[in-house]
PDB file of all heavy atoms in Angstrom:
ATOM      1  N   GLU L   1      34.868 -11.308  70.532  1.00 98.00           N
ATOM      2  CA  GLU L   1      34.306 -10.485  71.611  1.00 98.00           C
ATOM      3  C   GLU L   1      33.831  -9.092  71.099  1.00 98.00           C
ATOM      4  O   GLU L   1      33.281  -8.334  71.875  1.00 98.00           O
ATOM      5  CB  GLU L   1      35.319 -10.339  72.765  1.00 98.00           C
ATOM      6  CG  GLU L   1      35.555 -11.663  73.491  1.00 98.00           C
ATOM      7  CD  GLU L   1      36.682 -11.541  74.498  1.00 98.00           C
ATOM      8  OE1 GLU L   1      36.959 -10.383  74.939  1.00 98.00           O
ATOM      9  OE2 GLU L   1      37.366 -12.591  74.727  1.00 98.00           O
ATOM     10  N   ASP L   2      34.181  -8.773  69.890  1.00 98.00           N
ATOM     11  CA  ASP L   2      33.803  -7.399  69.393  1.00 98.00           C
ATOM     12  C   ASP L   2      32.428  -7.444  68.798  1.00 98.00           C
ATOM     13  O   ASP L   2      32.181  -8.066  67.799  1.00 98.00           O
ATOM     14  CB  ASP L   2      34.880  -6.948  68.324  1.00 98.00           C
ATOM     15  CG  ASP L   2      34.834  -5.492  68.167  1.00 98.00           C
ATOM     16  OD1 ASP L   2      33.818  -4.833  67.883  1.00 98.00           O
ATOM     17  OD2 ASP L   2      35.917  -4.870  68.232  1.00 98.00           O
ATOM     18  N   GLU L   3      31.584  -6.632  69.384  1.00 97.00           N
ATOM     19  CA  GLU L   3      30.182  -6.626  68.917  1.00 97.00           C
ATOM     20  C   GLU L   3      29.962  -5.798  67.639  1.00 97.00           C
ATOM     21  O   GLU L   3      28.765  -5.780  67.063  1.00 97.00           O
ATOM     22  CB  GLU L   3      29.278  -6.215  70.012  1.00 97.00           C
ATOM     23  CG  GLU L   3      29.245  -7.130  71.186  1.00 97.00           C
ATOM     24  CD  GLU L   3      28.342  -6.759  72.317  1.00 97.00           C
ATOM     25  OE1 GLU L   3      27.669  -5.655  72.210  1.00 97.00           O
ATOM     26  OE2 GLU L   3      28.256  -7.521  73.224  1.00 97.00           O
ATOM     27  N   MET L   4      30.934  -5.177  67.129  1.00 96.00           N
ATOM     28  CA  MET L   4      30.844  -4.396  65.884  1.00 96.00           C
ATOM     29  C   MET L   4      30.608  -5.340  64.699  1.00 96.00           C
ATOM     30  O   MET L   4      30.000  -4.996  63.706  1.00 96.00           O
ATOM     31  CB  MET L   4      32.109  -3.567  65.679  1.00 96.00           C
ATOM     32  CG  MET L   4      31.974  -2.544  64.534  1.00 96.00           C
ATOM     33  SD  MET L   4      30.767  -1.245  64.800  1.00 96.00           S
ATOM     34  CE  MET L   4      31.705  -0.144  65.843  1.00 96.00           C
ATOM     35  N   GLY L   5      31.163  -6.546  64.758  1.00 97.00           N
ATOM     36  CA  GLY L   5      31.031  -7.528  63.736  1.00 97.00           C
ATOM     37  C   GLY L   5      30.636  -8.919  64.289  1.00 97.00           C
ATOM     38  O   GLY L   5      30.432  -9.005  65.520  1.00 97.00           O
ATOM     39  N   GLN L   6      30.541  -9.814  63.450  1.00 98.00           N
ATOM     40  CA  GLN L   6      30.121 -11.155  63.876  1.00 98.00           C
ATOM     41  C   GLN L   6      31.101 -12.277  63.430  1.00 98.00           C
ATOM     42  O   GLN L   6      30.749 -13.401  63.130  1.00 98.00           O
ATOM     43  CB  GLN L   6      28.731 -11.524  63.407  1.00 98.00           C
ATOM     44  CG  GLN L   6      27.580 -10.767  64.048  1.00 98.00           C
ATOM     45  CD  GLN L   6      27.359  -9.414  63.385  1.00 98.00           C
ATOM     46  OE1 GLN L   6      27.402  -9.372  62.109  1.00 98.00           O
ATOM     47  NE2 GLN L   6      27.073  -8.387  64.086  1.00 98.00           N
ATOM     48  N   LEU L   7      32.386 -11.989  63.390  1.00 98.00           N
ATOM     49  CA  LEU L   7      33.376 -13.002  63.095  1.00 98.00           C
ATOM     50  C   LEU L   7      34.032 -13.571  64.367  1.00 98.00           C
ATOM     51  O   LEU L   7      33.790 -12.976  65.413  1.00 98.00           O
ATOM     52  CB  LEU L   7      34.457 -12.466  62.126  1.00 98.00           C
ATOM     53  CG  LEU L   7      34.032 -12.091  60.712  1.00 98.00           C
ATOM     54  CD1 LEU L   7      35.186 -11.744  59.845  1.00 98.00           C
ATOM     55  CD2 LEU L   7      33.151 -13.161  60.114  1.00 98.00           C
ATOM     56  N   GLY L   8      34.703 -14.619  64.261  1.00 98.00           N
ATOM     57  CA  GLY L   8      35.089 -15.410  65.429  1.00 98.00           C
ATOM     58  C   GLY L   8      36.567 -15.519  65.642  1.00 98.00           C
ATOM     59  O   GLY L   8      37.057 -16.586  66.067  1.00 98.00           O
ATOM     60  N   LEU L   9      37.390 -14.489  65.324  1.00 98.00           N
ATOM     61  CA  LEU L   9      38.808 -14.591  65.503  1.00 98.00           C
ATOM     62  C   LEU L   9      39.192 -14.289  67.001  1.00 98.00           C
ATOM     63  O   LEU L   9      38.369 -13.756  67.799  1.00 98.00           O
ATOM     64  CB  LEU L   9      39.560 -13.540  64.605  1.00 98.00           C
ATOM     65  CG  LEU L   9      39.821 -14.042  63.243  1.00 98.00           C
ATOM     66  CD1 LEU L   9      38.632 -14.232  62.473  1.00 98.00           C
ATOM     67  CD2 LEU L   9      40.743 -13.071  62.487  1.00 98.00           C
ATOM     68  N   VAL L  10      40.325 -14.821  67.363  1.00 98.00           N
ATOM     69  CA  VAL L  10      40.805 -14.624  68.743  1.00 98.00           C
ATOM     70  C   VAL L  10      42.338 -14.155  68.545  1.00 98.00           C
ATOM     71  O   VAL L  10      42.909 -14.148  67.470  1.00 98.00           O
ATOM     72  CB  VAL L  10      40.735 -15.855  69.633  1.00 98.00           C
ATOM     73  CG1 VAL L  10      39.348 -16.231  69.866  1.00 98.00           C
ATOM     74  CG2 VAL L  10      41.510 -17.087  68.979  1.00 98.00           C
ATOM     75  N   GLU L  11      42.995 -13.812  69.759  1.00 98.00           N
ATOM     76  CA  GLU L  11      44.365 -13.348  69.705  1.00 98.00           C
ATOM     77  C   GLU L  11      45.285 -14.244  68.945  1.00 98.00           C
ATOM     78  O   GLU L  11      46.159 -13.788  68.218  1.00 98.00           O
ATOM     79  CB  GLU L  11      44.895 -13.154  71.161  1.00 98.00           C
ATOM     80  CG  GLU L  11      44.172 -12.110  71.910  1.00 98.00           C
ATOM     81  CD  GLU L  11      42.990 -12.657  72.768  1.00 98.00           C
ATOM     82  OE1 GLU L  11      42.194 -13.373  72.147  1.00 98.00           O
ATOM     83  OE2 GLU L  11      42.907 -12.346  73.936  1.00 98.00           O
ATOM     84  N   ASN L  12      45.162 -15.570  69.152  1.00 98.00           N
ATOM     85  CA  ASN L  12      46.130 -16.452  68.396  1.00 98.00           C
ATOM     86  C   ASN L  12      45.974 -16.370  66.951  1.00 98.00           C
ATOM     87  O   ASN L  12      46.948 -16.563  66.175  1.00 98.00           O
ATOM     88  CB  ASN L  12      45.820 -17.958  68.836  1.00 98.00           C
ATOM     89  CG  ASN L  12      46.482 -18.217  70.204  1.00 98.00           C
ATOM     90  OD1 ASN L  12      47.322 -17.464  70.586  1.00 98.00           O
ATOM     91  ND2 ASN L  12      46.073 -19.295  70.863  1.00 98.00           N
ATOM     92  N   ASP L  13      44.772 -16.064  66.446  1.00 98.00           N
ATOM     93  CA  ASP L  13      44.603 -15.870  64.974  1.00 98.00           C
ATOM     94  C   ASP L  13      45.332 -14.638  64.467  1.00 98.00           C
ATOM     95  O   ASP L  13      46.002 -14.692  63.436  1.00 98.00           O
ATOM     96  CB  ASP L  13      43.070 -15.779  64.661  1.00 98.00           C
ATOM     97  CG  ASP L  13      42.310 -17.026  65.008  1.00 98.00           C
ATOM     98  OD1 ASP L  13      42.822 -18.089  64.584  1.00 98.00           O
ATOM     99  OD2 ASP L  13      41.299 -16.884  65.646  1.00 98.00           O
ATOM    100  N   TYR L  14      45.265 -13.552  65.224  1.00 99.00           N
ATOM    101  CA  TYR L  14      45.975 -12.359  64.805  1.00 99.00           C
ATOM    102  C   TYR L  14      47.526 -12.613  64.923  1.00 99.00           C
ATOM    103  O   TYR L  14      48.232 -12.118  63.988  1.00 99.00           O
ATOM    104  CB  TYR L  14      45.644 -11.128  65.679  1.00 99.00           C
ATOM    105  CG  TYR L  14      44.220 -10.673  65.485  1.00 99.00           C
ATOM    106  CD1 TYR L  14      43.222 -10.759  66.438  1.00 99.00           C
ATOM    107  CD2 TYR L  14      43.847 -10.211  64.272  1.00 99.00           C
ATOM    108  CE1 TYR L  14      41.930 -10.364  66.171  1.00 99.00           C
ATOM    109  CE2 TYR L  14      42.544  -9.745  63.914  1.00 99.00           C
ATOM    110  CZ  TYR L  14      41.632  -9.830  64.905  1.00 99.00           C
ATOM    111  OH  TYR L  14      40.336  -9.456  64.706  1.00 99.00           O
ATOM    112  N   ALA L  15      47.950 -13.331  65.887  1.00 98.00           N
ATOM    113  CA  ALA L  15      49.407 -13.675  65.878  1.00 98.00           C
ATOM    114  C   ALA L  15      49.771 -14.557  64.683  1.00 98.00           C
ATOM    115  O   ALA L  15      50.836 -14.298  64.048  1.00 98.00           O
ATOM    116  CB  ALA L  15      49.726 -14.465  67.197  1.00 98.00           C
ATOM    117  N   TRP L  16      48.964 -15.478  64.339  1.00 99.00           N
ATOM    118  CA  TRP L  16      49.155 -16.373  63.186  1.00 99.00           C
ATOM    119  C   TRP L  16      49.197 -15.550  61.900  1.00 99.00           C
ATOM    120  O   TRP L  16      50.107 -15.736  61.091  1.00 99.00           O
ATOM    121  CB  TRP L  16      48.125 -17.470  63.159  1.00 99.00           C
ATOM    122  CG  TRP L  16      48.368 -18.493  62.046  1.00 99.00           C
ATOM    123  CD1 TRP L  16      49.117 -19.594  62.045  1.00 99.00           C
ATOM    124  CD2 TRP L  16      47.939 -18.379  60.681  1.00 99.00           C
ATOM    125  NE1 TRP L  16      49.031 -20.320  60.891  1.00 99.00           N
ATOM    126  CE2 TRP L  16      48.373 -19.580  60.013  1.00 99.00           C
ATOM    127  CE3 TRP L  16      47.198 -17.443  59.943  1.00 99.00           C
ATOM    128  CZ2 TRP L  16      48.085 -19.847  58.618  1.00 99.00           C
ATOM    129  CZ3 TRP L  16      46.969 -17.670  58.584  1.00 99.00           C
ATOM    130  CH2 TRP L  16      47.366 -18.829  57.981  1.00 99.00           C
ATOM    131  N   ILE L  17      48.248 -14.710  61.672  1.00 98.00           N
ATOM    132  CA  ILE L  17      48.157 -13.822  60.503  1.00 98.00           C
ATOM    133  C   ILE L  17      49.467 -12.971  60.431  1.00 98.00           C
ATOM    134  O   ILE L  17      50.056 -12.812  59.310  1.00 98.00           O
ATOM    135  CB  ILE L  17      46.895 -13.006  60.482  1.00 98.00           C
ATOM    136  CG1 ILE L  17      45.617 -13.928  60.311  1.00 98.00           C
ATOM    137  CG2 ILE L  17      46.908 -12.001  59.288  1.00 98.00           C
ATOM    138  CD1 ILE L  17      44.357 -13.138  60.599  1.00 98.00           C
ATOM    139  N   THR L  18      49.784 -12.409  61.533  1.00 99.00           N
ATOM    140  CA  THR L  18      50.937 -11.524  61.530  1.00 99.00           C
ATOM    141  C   THR L  18      52.219 -12.268  61.215  1.00 99.00           C
ATOM    142  O   THR L  18      53.056 -11.737  60.508  1.00 99.00           O
ATOM    143  CB  THR L  18      51.101 -10.756  62.905  1.00 99.00           C
ATOM    144  OG1 THR L  18      49.824 -10.230  63.264  1.00 99.00           O
ATOM    145  CG2 THR L  18      52.185  -9.752  62.921  1.00 99.00           C
ATOM    146  N   GLN L  19      52.332 -13.486  61.738  1.00 98.00           N
ATOM    147  CA  GLN L  19      53.473 -14.346  61.417  1.00 98.00           C
ATOM    148  C   GLN L  19      53.585 -14.603  59.974  1.00 98.00           C
ATOM    149  O   GLN L  19      54.666 -14.557  59.336  1.00 98.00           O
ATOM    150  CB  GLN L  19      53.424 -15.627  62.224  1.00 98.00           C
ATOM    151  CG  GLN L  19      54.668 -16.471  62.065  1.00 98.00           C
ATOM    152  CD  GLN L  19      55.935 -15.863  62.539  1.00 98.00           C
ATOM    153  OE1 GLN L  19      55.973 -15.235  63.602  1.00 98.00           O
ATOM    154  NE2 GLN L  19      56.984 -15.955  61.820  1.00 98.00           N
ATOM    155  N   ARG L  20      52.492 -14.904  59.285  1.00 98.00           N
ATOM    156  CA  ARG L  20      52.437 -15.213  57.829  1.00 98.00           C
ATOM    157  C   ARG L  20      52.890 -13.992  57.048  1.00 98.00           C
ATOM    158  O   ARG L  20      53.641 -14.033  56.138  1.00 98.00           O
ATOM    159  CB  ARG L  20      51.018 -15.701  57.379  1.00 98.00           C
ATOM    160  CG  ARG L  20      50.631 -17.086  57.859  1.00 98.00           C
ATOM    161  CD  ARG L  20      51.555 -18.096  57.249  1.00 98.00           C
ATOM    162  NE  ARG L  20      51.357 -19.439  57.847  1.00 98.00           N
ATOM    163  CZ  ARG L  20      51.900 -19.838  58.951  1.00 98.00           C
ATOM    164  NH1 ARG L  20      52.727 -18.997  59.635  1.00 98.00           N
ATOM    165  NH2 ARG L  20      51.657 -21.019  59.504  1.00 98.00           N
ATOM    166  N   ILE L  21      52.319 -12.854  57.445  1.00 98.00           N
ATOM    167  CA  ILE L  21      52.691 -11.597  56.771  1.00 98.00           C
ATOM    168  C   ILE L  21      54.186 -11.249  56.951  1.00 98.00           C
ATOM    169  O   ILE L  21      54.863 -10.890  56.037  1.00 98.00           O
ATOM    170  CB  ILE L  21      51.830 -10.347  57.328  1.00 98.00           C
ATOM    171  CG1 ILE L  21      50.409 -10.589  57.055  1.00 98.00           C
ATOM    172  CG2 ILE L  21      52.386  -9.067  56.751  1.00 98.00           C
ATOM    173  CD1 ILE L  21      49.438  -9.566  57.808  1.00 98.00           C
ATOM    174  N   LYS L  22      54.665 -11.518  58.213  1.00 98.00           N
ATOM    175  CA  LYS L  22      56.134 -11.328  58.455  1.00 98.00           C
ATOM    176  C   LYS L  22      56.978 -12.211  57.539  1.00 98.00           C
ATOM    177  O   LYS L  22      58.035 -11.745  57.116  1.00 98.00           O
ATOM    178  CB  LYS L  22      56.357 -11.572  60.022  1.00 98.00           C
ATOM    179  CG  LYS L  22      57.679 -10.994  60.466  1.00 98.00           C
ATOM    180  CD  LYS L  22      57.774 -11.141  62.014  1.00 98.00           C
ATOM    181  CE  LYS L  22      59.177 -10.671  62.432  1.00 98.00           C
ATOM    182  NZ  LYS L  22      59.258 -10.840  63.896  1.00 98.00           N
ATOM    183  N   GLU L  23      56.522 -13.436  57.385  1.00 98.00           N
ATOM    184  CA  GLU L  23      57.352 -14.352  56.576  1.00 98.00           C
ATOM    185  C   GLU L  23      57.369 -13.912  55.132  1.00 98.00           C
ATOM    186  O   GLU L  23      58.406 -14.031  54.475  1.00 98.00           O
ATOM    187  CB  GLU L  23      56.750 -15.806  56.694  1.00 98.00           C
ATOM    188  CG  GLU L  23      57.031 -16.383  58.019  1.00 98.00           C
ATOM    189  CD  GLU L  23      56.108 -17.642  58.307  1.00 98.00           C
ATOM    190  OE1 GLU L  23      55.361 -18.042  57.384  1.00 98.00           O
ATOM    191  OE2 GLU L  23      56.159 -18.131  59.422  1.00 98.00           O
ATOM    192  N   VAL L  24      56.258 -13.387  54.657  1.00 98.00           N
ATOM    193  CA  VAL L  24      56.262 -12.816  53.302  1.00 98.00           C
ATOM    194  C   VAL L  24      57.225 -11.683  53.201  1.00 98.00           C
ATOM    195  O   VAL L  24      58.063 -11.525  52.226  1.00 98.00           O
ATOM    196  CB  VAL L  24      54.855 -12.352  52.863  1.00 98.00           C
ATOM    197  CG1 VAL L  24      54.857 -11.497  51.604  1.00 98.00           C
ATOM    198  CG2 VAL L  24      53.891 -13.557  52.690  1.00 98.00           C
ATOM    199  N   ALA L  25      57.160 -10.783  54.253  1.00 98.00           N
ATOM    200  CA  ALA L  25      58.058  -9.586  54.169  1.00 98.00           C
ATOM    201  C   ALA L  25      59.447  -9.998  54.296  1.00 98.00           C
ATOM    202  O   ALA L  25      60.369  -9.365  53.669  1.00 98.00           O
ATOM    203  CB  ALA L  25      57.676  -8.650  55.386  1.00 98.00           C
ATOM    204  N   GLN L  26      59.799 -11.023  55.060  1.00 98.00           N
ATOM    205  CA  GLN L  26      61.193 -11.522  55.122  1.00 98.00           C
ATOM    206  C   GLN L  26      61.617 -12.116  53.834  1.00 98.00           C
ATOM    207  O   GLN L  26      62.801 -11.955  53.492  1.00 98.00           O
ATOM    208  CB  GLN L  26      61.342 -12.491  56.280  1.00 98.00           C
ATOM    209  CG  GLN L  26      61.231 -11.820  57.624  1.00 98.00           C
ATOM    210  CD  GLN L  26      60.981 -12.766  58.862  1.00 98.00           C
ATOM    211  OE1 GLN L  26      60.542 -13.889  58.625  1.00 98.00           O
ATOM    212  NE2 GLN L  26      61.410 -12.346  60.014  1.00 98.00           N
ATOM    213  N   ARG L  27      60.731 -12.783  53.113  1.00 98.00           N
ATOM    214  CA  ARG L  27      61.100 -13.402  51.825  1.00 98.00           C
ATOM    215  C   ARG L  27      61.385 -12.376  50.742  1.00 98.00           C
ATOM    216  O   ARG L  27      62.289 -12.519  49.956  1.00 98.00           O
ATOM    217  CB  ARG L  27      60.053 -14.329  51.322  1.00 98.00           C
ATOM    218  CG  ARG L  27      59.988 -15.712  52.064  1.00 98.00           C
ATOM    219  CD  ARG L  27      59.194 -16.748  51.232  1.00 98.00           C
ATOM    220  NE  ARG L  27      57.804 -16.415  51.213  1.00 98.00           N
ATOM    221  CZ  ARG L  27      56.925 -16.821  52.144  1.00 98.00           C
ATOM    222  NH1 ARG L  27      57.273 -17.365  53.275  1.00 98.00           N
ATOM    223  NH2 ARG L  27      55.623 -16.560  51.985  1.00 98.00           N
ATOM    224  N   HIS L  28      60.590 -11.271  50.736  1.00 98.00           N
ATOM    225  CA  HIS L  28      60.628 -10.407  49.558  1.00 98.00           C
ATOM    226  C   HIS L  28      60.963  -8.877  49.871  1.00 98.00           C
ATOM    227  O   HIS L  28      61.362  -8.198  48.973  1.00 98.00           O
ATOM    228  CB  HIS L  28      59.286 -10.438  48.912  1.00 98.00           C
ATOM    229  CG  HIS L  28      58.821 -11.823  48.543  1.00 98.00           C
ATOM    230  ND1 HIS L  28      59.388 -12.536  47.541  1.00 98.00           N
ATOM    231  CD2 HIS L  28      57.760 -12.513  48.943  1.00 98.00           C
ATOM    232  CE1 HIS L  28      58.803 -13.744  47.437  1.00 98.00           C
ATOM    233  NE2 HIS L  28      57.741 -13.706  48.295  1.00 98.00           N
ATOM    234  N   ALA L  29      60.795  -8.550  51.215  1.00 98.00           N
ATOM    235  CA  ALA L  29      60.804  -7.086  51.464  1.00 98.00           C
ATOM    236  C   ALA L  29      61.825  -6.689  52.566  1.00 98.00           C
ATOM    237  O   ALA L  29      61.676  -5.706  53.177  1.00 98.00           O
ATOM    238  CB  ALA L  29      59.394  -6.649  51.869  1.00 98.00           C
TER     239      ALA L  29
END
């Protein structure tokens, strides 16, 4: 919905990306 760019992510994608980052942080950090 953001007209600044032309990519097609939605809220669920941000939640998924954050979850993957969180898992990396839990494993190593």
Side-chain angles (χ1 to χ4, degrees):
E1 292 171 25
D2 198 309
E3 294 182 358
M4 189 67 82
Q6 289 88 39
L7 295 187
L9 275 66
V10 295
E11 294 91 310
N12 280 345
D13 296 313
Y14 289 116
W16 184 91
I17 293 167
T18 308
Q19 184 62 45
R20 287 296 170 277
I21 296 169
K22 194 173 179 181
E23 288 162 6
V24 168
Q26 284 165 340
R27 283 197 293 276
H28 306 293

